[in-house]
């Protein structure tokens, strides 16, 4: 069953999905998956209970989309950080439930400003979750970067391990970072890393023994990844997160970071994809 509801007000439509395969929620504001859980599983996507639904503000949790730039805009610093996707209301292009139980959703965002591309997000939602972020109608040669800033729900942030990045160089941006076990990565405290380069075929996997599962993240058209958690001290100061909430997630992002030097030319298209699978651990 697929319905549209308005639990946060008329300006924030939510597509709710309940099928034999999964439950999920998608916000048209931000084209953002808020929740997804395959049948019989703990939630895979974390959403902050203090997330603020207000126009112009990004939602804390889920899968925010940074598009069509990641970080500050390199051409105009007055434009919003991480682009316009996560603070725009997208339109439903199509929404269909297939006989296989999977729901296929297409959301579109026409150009909001002159010399901006148009965007679309194609989702297939079932016992796996696949999201493709499409950049189209590129009007000029432009630098491009993007991210799917996925907050993965975990039993305990400091009791999980992340594999698949052991051979990859990274830059740490957390000023108060503590040493982390690296093989595999066991996150501790504040972590804010950009890994680059990361082979496109690298399988990033979050191992969560307490919840008896692994979360596998596959990527396409991405040669980098971001790993982030604010740690206890910073989380306590964040009004839309709060003390203790940092223990419930690890953000592992499918990205095209500025260091990849991706340039899109007039008329080109780009499709950034992430596929998320839950693997039970016996």
């Amino acid at each position: 069953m697929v319905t549209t509801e308005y639990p946060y007000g008329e300006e924030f439509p939510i597509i709710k999905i309940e099928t034999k395969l999964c439950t999920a929620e998608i916000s048209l504001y931000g084209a953002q998956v808020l929740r997804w859980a395959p049948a019989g599983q703990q939630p895979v996507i974390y959403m902050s209970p203090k997330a603020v639904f207000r126009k112009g503000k990004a939602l804390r949790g889920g899968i925010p989309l940074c598009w069509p730039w990641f970080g500050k805009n390199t051409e105009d610093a007055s434009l919003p950080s991480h682009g316009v996707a996560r603070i725009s209301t997208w339109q439903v292009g199509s929404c269909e439930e297939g006989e296989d139980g999977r729901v296929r959703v297409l959301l579109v965002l026409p150009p909001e400003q002159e010399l901006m591309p148009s965007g679309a997000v194609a989702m297939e939602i079932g016992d796996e979750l696949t999201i493709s972020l499409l950049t189209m109608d590129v009007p000029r040669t432009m630098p491009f970067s993007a991210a799917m800033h996925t907050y993965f729900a975990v039993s305990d942030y400091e009791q999980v391990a992340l594999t698949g990045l052991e051979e990859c160089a990274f830059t740490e941006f957390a000023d108060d970072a503590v040493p982390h076990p690296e093989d595999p990565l066991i996150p501790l405290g504040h972590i804010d890393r950009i890994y680059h380069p990361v082979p496109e075929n690298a399988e990033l996997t979050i191992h969560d023994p307490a919840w008896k599962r692994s979360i596998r993240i596959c990527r396409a058209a991405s040669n980098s990844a971001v790993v982030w958690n604010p740690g206890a001290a910073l989380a306590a100061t964040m009004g839309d997160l709060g003390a203790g909430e940092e223990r419930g997630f690890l953000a592992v992002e499918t990205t095209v970071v500025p260091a990849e030097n991706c340039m899109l030319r007039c008329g080109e298209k780009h499709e950034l994809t992430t596929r998320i699978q839950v693997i039970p651990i016996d």
Side-chain angles (χ1 to χ4, degrees):
M1 182 172 62
V2 181
T3 58
T4 301
E5 301 182 10
Y6 301 85
Y8 307 104
E10 292 296 318
E11 292 186 309
F12 299 98
I14 304 295
I15 298 173
K16 298 195 73 172
I17 296 169
E18 295 184 12
T19 71
K20 62 183 179 182
L21 297 180
C22 70
T23 59
E25 294 182 8
I26 304 165
S27 170
L28 295 191
Y29 179 72
Q32 186 164 335
V33 175
L34 305 182
R35 297 174 177 87
W36 171 63
Q41 283 286 336
Q42 297 278 359
V44 179
I45 305 300
Y46 167 90
M47 191 70 192
S48 171
K50 295 184 178 180
V52 176
F53 285 76
R54 185 174 70 237
K55 287 296 182 70
K57 180 175 176 58
L59 303 177
R60 179 68 64 188
I63 309 180
L65 302 177
C66 304
W67 178 92
W69 60 85
F70 175 82
K72 293 182 179 180
N73 186 285
T74 57
E75 298 179 315
D76 185 348
S78 68
L79 292 172
S81 181
H82 291 316
V84 298
R86 63 183 189 157
I87 54 173
S88 298
T89 300
W90 294 56
Q91 302 170 8
V92 178
S94 62
C95 183
E96 300 176 351
E97 182 177 353
E99 294 183 0
D100 59 2
R102 291 173 172 80
V103 176
R104 295 166 179 86
V105 178
L106 177 67
L107 304 180
V108 296
L109 184 68
E112 294 205 340
Q113 299 179 27
E114 188 179 2
L115 299 181
M116 287 276 288
S118 60
V121 178
M123 305 179 185
E124 183 174 283
I125 304 147
D127 52 357
E128 299 179 358
L129 176 63
T130 301
I131 302 175
S132 293
L133 175 58
L134 297 97
T135 304
M136 305 172 294
D137 305 318
V138 175
R140 60 185 176 88
T141 298
M142 57 176 283
F144 174 76
S145 53
M148 299 179 187
H149 183 108
T150 309
Y151 290 69
F152 287 101
V154 297
S155 60
D156 186 331
Y157 162 64
E158 295 190 348
Q159 300 298 320
V160 300
L162 175 63
T163 58
L165 294 170
E166 291 81 7
E167 304 300 321
C168 302
F170 66 87
T171 302
E172 175 64 74
F173 292 92
D175 293 335
D176 57 346
V178 299
H180 302 260
E182 299 288 350
D183 189 8
L185 173 63
I186 299 176
L188 303 167
H190 188 189
I191 187 171
D192 187 3
R193 294 181 173 186
I194 293 179
Y195 285 83
H196 176 256
V198 178
E200 185 176 343
N201 62 357
E203 287 188 356
L204 312 187
T205 305
I206 300 171
H207 304 270
D208 192 342
W211 279 357
K212 297 183 179 181
R213 73 181 187 191
S214 295
I215 301 171
R216 181 183 296 157
I217 307 149
C218 300
R219 306 147 33 257
S222 167
N223 292 296
S224 58
V226 170
V227 179
W228 177 78
N229 183 286
L234 181 56
T237 70
M238 299 168 67
D240 57 357
L241 192 60
E245 286 297 318
E246 79 287 347
R247 300 195 76 90
F249 71 87
L250 175 63
V252 181
E253 308 175 34
T254 295
T255 56
V256 178
V257 296
E260 294 183 45
N261 295 315
C262 179
M263 297 293 294
L264 298 184
R265 293 171 175 81
C266 183
E268 285 188 336
K269 298 180 180 180
H270 188 280
E271 183 173 343
L272 177 67
T273 299
T274 188
R275 179 185 178 200
I276 303 167
Q277 301 168 289
V278 178
I279 312 298
I281 298 175
D282 295 330

